[in-house]
Amino acid sequence: MKILGIETSCDETAAAIVEDGVKILSNVTATSAGIHARTGGVIPEEAARKQIKAVIPIIDLSLKDASLKPRDLDAVAVTVGPGLIGSLLVGVETSKTLSYIWNKPIIPVNHLVGHIYANWLEKIRTPEFPALALVVSGGHTDLVLMKGHGKIEWLGGTRDDAAGEAFDKTARLLGFSYPGGPALSNAADEFIYRNKNFKLTMFPRPIINEKNFDWSFSGLKTAVLYKVGYLLSENYNSKKFSKLSDYQKTSTHPKMKKLSSRIAAEVQEAIVDSLVTKTLRAVRIFKPKTLLLAGGVAANRRLREKFLLEENAYKLSGIFHVPSVSLCTDNAAYISSCAFFNFKPISWKKVVANPGLTITPYI
Ligand code: KG4
Ligand code: ZN
């Protein structure tokens, strides 16, 4: 079965064709991130306008890359939420129209559940159930237990900022360019490479010892704000550190240039440590056959490394699955895959965008 997937939940416009949920025939993604770099974050209106222009050419390209015609497709799948309403509407309305004129079934897909299916696109191993999945994206952080396809139980998540948001917002404070997560992570890795065995304990790991599966990342921003102010206090009047823009100026300060990669490494370690510790707690309790990492933050090198190290340390050999880096961030291949394994077509008239959708109840 060949499914065309369409994904437009944030600033990407993506289309992919996947066969039987595992074989990628094409996977095309366009992004308007370059435009948002100028303002330091996504402007929803701007993103949606770009998506309106890009969506048909991107779908055409996905058919061309797969050497297929619309008549060769078995179904259309589309992200219905969560995400930005204007962006979601572009994908949803386009898919409904195509489903109607091509006379193909349409399957609505939850973006967060979709992320998990990037793990089925890897040719090496098929994930087994029960699986524990950690979904870490720009707007969400959720830990779920999957007893089968479509059988998802929510265990916990962030109480405030998402892990990706914690990367992006602290990156902004340190003056890294948008999108901050990868930039902060590169600077952090450079510091780690140059300072092996350096103990990275500058920032707190809130609620890490609580017996739940929740996280809290919003305090990290305040901790970074205070630390930067303190570290530069010899040269800066502390009263000047009252606005975000005051901190952003620090990135050009000579002292800060040296320090920013150290702080980046500290921030990264605090986030990674929190994510891994709580997830391993769930592994010990639920004893899943598979541990799946998913979402844009799954592209983080240190997070992938720490899970692998823990897998070895706890003799959990083979339990840990993580998609290749290019499949972690937003794309449409995992949307097609998710639709194949959860094949529940509905009438195109009933497909609606839902920006506030959560990972459960499952769609
Ligand atoms: O899943 P995703 O592509 O989009 C959403 O659904 O939100 O995730 C984007 C998030 C952003 O916060 C981005 O900074 C973060 O993933 N991210 C990273 C890395 N690559 C992407 N965070 C840390 N290290 C990375 N290498
Ligand atoms: Zn995403």
Side-chain angles (χ1 to χ4, degrees):
M1 178 179 276
K2 297 181 188 79
I3 300 181
L4 167 70
I6 298 174
E7 152 64 45
T8 62
S9 64
C10 191
D11 56 348
E12 273 86 19
T13 309
I17 300 169
V18 175
E19 190 168 5
D20 297 337
V22 293
K23 189 173 173 201
I24 299 176
L25 304 180
S26 65
N27 192 11
V28 189
T29 307
T31 178
S32 55
I35 293 166
H36 310 302
R38 278 188 250 134
T39 43
V42 177
I43 301 176
E45 280 277 318
E46 193 94 42
R49 268 187 211 147
K50 292 286 168 207
Q51 284 162 322
I52 289 170
K53 285 190 184 159
V55 70
I56 298 296
I58 291 292
I59 293 169
D60 271 346
L61 206 53
S62 72
L63 283 161
K64 213 184 231 172
D65 278 3
S67 304
L68 294 174
K69 299 276 178 226
R71 64 171 178 268
D72 303 319
L73 298 171
D74 296 288
V76 176
V78 63
T79 300
V80 291
L84 304 170
I85 183 64
S87 295
L88 287 169
L89 279 171
V90 176
V92 166
E93 294 309 316
T94 305
S95 315
K96 283 161 75 168
T97 310
L98 293 178
S99 152
Y100 178 71
I101 58 174
W102 289 346
N103 195 21
K104 305 284 175 191
I106 183 166
I107 304 115
V109 174
N110 180 319
H111 178 82
L112 300 170
V113 179
H115 263 302
I116 301 173
Y117 281 85
N119 286 286
W120 269 263
L121 295 167
E122 295 303 343
K123 294 175 192 77
I124 319 155
R125 292 174 294 157
T126 304
E128 283 180 69
F129 297 115
L132 192 70
L134 174 67
V135 184
V136 270
S137 72
H140 297 81
T141 298
D142 291 297
L143 187 67
V144 295
L145 188 63
M146 285 177 85
K147 292 186 179 148
H149 296 296
K151 291 182 190 146
I152 294 183
E153 188 187 324
W154 186 79
L155 301 177
T158 184
R159 293 182 185 173
D160 38 57
D161 291 356
E165 203 176 347
F167 270 106
D168 294 339
K169 289 188 173 161
T170 50
R172 214 178 152 174
L173 291 175
L174 294 170
F176 290 110
S177 56
Y178 173 87
L184 184 143
S185 153
N186 286 340
D189 285 349
E190 202 185 303
F191 181 85
I192 295 169
Y193 181 74
R194 291 219 191 109
N195 301 274
K196 294 198 173 71
N197 304 322
F198 194 92
K199 290 259 175 293
L200 295 163
T201 53
M202 185 188 273
F203 296 119
R205 279 80 161 142
I207 66 172
I208 198 167
N209 294 319
E210 281 186 11
K211 295 194 184 325
N212 53 37
F213 308 108
D214 290 347
W215 289 274
S216 168
F217 292 115
S218 67
L220 203 53
K221 287 175 301 201
T222 322
V224 171
L225 279 175
Y226 278 120
K227 201 61 165 181
V228 173
Y230 172 76
L231 291 170
L232 299 182
S233 55
E234 282 167 39
N235 309 66
Y236 274 64
N237 177 347
S238 63
K239 282 194 187 126
K240 280 189 182 168
F241 287 91
S242 55
K243 296 198 299 291
L244 177 64
S245 54
D246 296 331
Y247 284 89
Q248 281 160 350
K249 278 184 215 141
T250 60
S251 60
T252 52
H253 190 284
K255 202 167 167 189
M256 197 56 206
K257 275 189 179 158
K258 270 193 185 166
L259 278 171
S260 62
S261 64
R262 154 96 196 269
I263 298 179
E266 297 278 6
V267 166
Q268 175 173 273
E269 200 61 23
I271 298 170
V272 167
D273 201 10
S274 300
L275 290 173
V276 172
T277 305
K278 281 285 174 78
T279 305
L280 287 180
R281 179 169 185 266
V283 168
R284 282 191 290 274
I285 293 172
F286 295 101
K287 302 186 173 47
K289 285 196 178 146
T290 318
L291 170 60
L292 307 173
L293 187 59
V297 180
N300 183 269
R301 189 207 59 83
R302 177 64 184 139
L303 183 62
R304 300 163 81 95
E305 176 190 68
K306 199 161 166 85
F307 268 121
L308 268 176
L309 292 172
E310 297 293 344
E311 184 190 46
N312 290 337
Y314 286 93
K315 301 199 168 46
L316 296 165
S317 166
I319 190 178
F320 179 55
H321 291 232
V322 63
S324 55
V325 169
S326 63
L327 291 173
C328 289
T329 46
D330 287 352
N331 67 84
Y334 59 68
I335 299 300
S336 309
S337 174
C338 181
F340 174 81
F341 289 108
N342 300 271
F343 195 80
K344 287 189 199 113
I346 61 171
S347 161
W348 63 268
K349 291 176 200 160
K350 290 194 178 147
V351 179
V352 284
N354 183 353
L357 199 63
T358 51
I359 200 161
T360 52
Y362 177 74
I363 276 201

